[in-house]
Each structure stands twice: as structure tokens, then as C-alpha cells.
Amino acid sequence: QMQLQESGPGLVKPSQTLSLTCTVSGGSIRNGAYYWTWIRQHPGKDLEWIGHILHSGGTYYNPSLKSRVIVSIDTSKNQFSLKLNSVTAADTAMYYCARDARYDSRGYAHDSFDIWGQGTMVTVSS
Amino acid sequence: DIQMTQSPSSLSASVGDRVTITCRASQSITTFLNWYQQKPGKAPKLLIQAASSLQSGVPSRFSGSGSGTDFTLTITSLQPEDFATYYCQQSYNTPWTFGQGTRVEFK
């Protein structure tokens, strides 16, 4: 049974870079049926999709964050990572990695986030 | 971006009640709509995909319906473990977007 686990600093200073890693266990990250995704949830409860990456390295980012985000993948370690630069207090949030299943049970293209990590809280503060 | 609006933002209910949560998209998303349940301190859990397809292991008291812009999540007989926040999410166009959530509280 696949599991995802986030890791990284819980405190980042303003203007610096937030860096998180998601380690995938119980299955291969090389499976092209999935996007590997970052999602965050602000303390108020809103969920925001940050972006995703394919095993091939292809990425897509939320336009609202695109200028500051890089998602990368290391298939040899079964990990993918998030870098968000020039952070401000508005980036304080719970950060989740998740698996985006690209196809439903009938084989039709229909994305859904079917496996999530437990989340890691990141606070931006000096 | 496609805006997702849920109503109500919160509701109070009792065990055994029938609960209905509505999600409206700012444009047609056909049936590219998923529902998640989130309990305090936990990650969201996928309940329903493609508007009405129940995820494996999810109790049959949960159901989803709708297409186009209007969708509904129904819990036919609320159980103690169902008190949580529920989110809809569209997967029609990137960036994927979520509703603001509906908190189901104990009356």
C-alpha cells in the first residue's frame, strides 16, 4: 500500500526558500498513471493546488505561484520535491504531497487526489 | 481559474440525519468533480470521484450527484465518524481548484 511522507523545515524566514521533500513508499514513482502533487492549506482552511510533476519530469504549476515554484523528481530515490522562493507570511500553511491518479477505475481520464501524505506545517517568520 | 463555491459553509446535524452539501462551479465542468472528507489534524480523504463514483471502502451512505455546474454530496444517515469538513474539487481544467469547505458539526 503506497504511502507518502513529507519532510523539511517547519520554519522559514521571510524572503528565503521553502524546501520540502515527499518520499514515496510501497510503490514506484515511475508509474505514468500518476502526477506527483503539492497542495497547501492555509490556517483558515482553504486548499490550494501548487503544482505537479510526472515521472518523466514534466511539470505544471498554479499560475498564481508559477514564478516562485519549482517541483522536481528523483526517481532513483522515489522522491519528489518542492521549492518555493521569496516566501512571505502568506506562505504559512500546511503543505501536503499527494498522488494525483490520472485515470478513474474505468480507465477514463479523470484526475483525483487518492493518496495524501500526513502534511507538514511550515511557518514563515523571522 | 474555475471557482468552486460550496454551501452552506457549516451546518449542525444529529446522528441519523440526512445531510446535503452543494457545490457550484463557475463554469461547466461536466462530471469532473471530486469530494473529500477532512477530519481535524488529518489530510483530506477522497470520497467520491467523477461526481458520483464512490471510492473503494467508502460507506454507501455517501453519494454524489450532479453535472455541469451544480453538484451535491449527500450523507443519508449521519454517523458519529462523519463529523468533519467536506471539500469539492474540480479536475476539468488546471489549475485544479477546491471549494472553501463545509463543516459538519454536532447539533
Side-chain angles (χ1 to χ4, degrees):
Chain A
Q1 180 177 344
M2 182 171 283
Q3 293 184 314
L4 281 63
Q5 176 71 57
E6 305 89 351
S7 59
L11 182 64
V12 182
K13 289 183 167 53
S15 80
Q16 294 193 342
T17 297
L18 178 161
S19 296
L20 297 174
T21 295
C22 182
T23 300
V24 179
S25 59
S28 174
I29 205 169
R30 293 187 178 90
N31 192 326
Y34 306 112
Y35 291 121
W36 305 99
T37 301
W38 289 98
I39 294 165
R40 68 182 183 180
Q41 185 169 33
H42 295 96
K45 80 179 176 183
D46 288 14
L47 286 159
E48 181 179 29
W49 176 79
I50 298 170
H52 65 217
I53 191 166
L54 266 172
H55 67 98
S56 59
T59 56
Y60 194 88
Y61 303 132
N62 192 323
S64 68
L65 296 168
K66 185 177 181 179
S67 63
R68 299 194 292 130
V69 171
I70 296 175
V71 178
S72 58
I73 193 164
D74 186 337
T75 55
S76 67
K77 294 181 179 179
N78 234 31
Q79 294 176 333
F80 63 105
S81 298
L82 168 70
K83 289 190 185 299
L84 179 66
N85 60 39
S86 304
V87 296
T88 69
D91 296 308
T92 293
M94 181 73 79
Y95 284 77
Y96 294 100
C97 59
R99 187 178 83 171
D100 177 348
R102 301 172 64 191
Y103 305 98
D104 65 18
S105 57
R106 300 163 297 171
Y108 295 118
H110 195 294
D111 294 78
S112 62
F113 306 119
D114 65 342
I115 300 177
W116 297 63
Q118 65 185 26
T120 188
M121 184 67 199
V122 178
T123 301
V124 178
S125 175
S126 55
Chain B
D1 298 3
I2 297 174
Q3 306 302 315
M4 307 300 294
T5 304
Q6 290 181 233
S7 60
S9 295
S10 65
L11 64 89
S12 298
S14 300
V15 172
D17 283 354
R18 179 185 181 92
V19 169
T20 299
I21 299 169
T22 297
C23 178
R24 174 165 288 177
S26 60
Q27 67 178 74
S28 176
I29 57 172
T30 64
T31 58
F32 285 82
L33 190 283
N34 305 314
W35 288 99
Y36 300 85
Q37 176 194 64
Q38 186 177 33
K39 296 182 179 179
K42 300 293 187 183
K45 171 189 172 183
L46 178 64
L47 295 178
I48 290 170
Q49 64 170 188
S52 61
S53 181
L54 207 62
Q55 192 72 352
S56 175
V58 174
S60 59
R61 62 181 180 274
F62 290 92
S63 64
S65 64
S67 66
T69 60
D70 295 314
F71 302 87
T72 300
L73 172 69
T74 300
I75 310 171
T76 52
S77 178
L78 197 67
Q79 296 302 300
E81 59 269 30
D82 302 335
F83 291 95
T85 301
Y86 294 86
Y87 294 91
C88 61
Q89 175 249 329
Q90 65 82 17
S91 59
Y92 183 79
N93 267 346
T94 51
W96 310 141
T97 49
F98 293 84
Q100 82 279 17
T102 295
R103 184 173 179 178
V104 177
E105 300 173 314
F106 182 70
K107 184 185 286 184

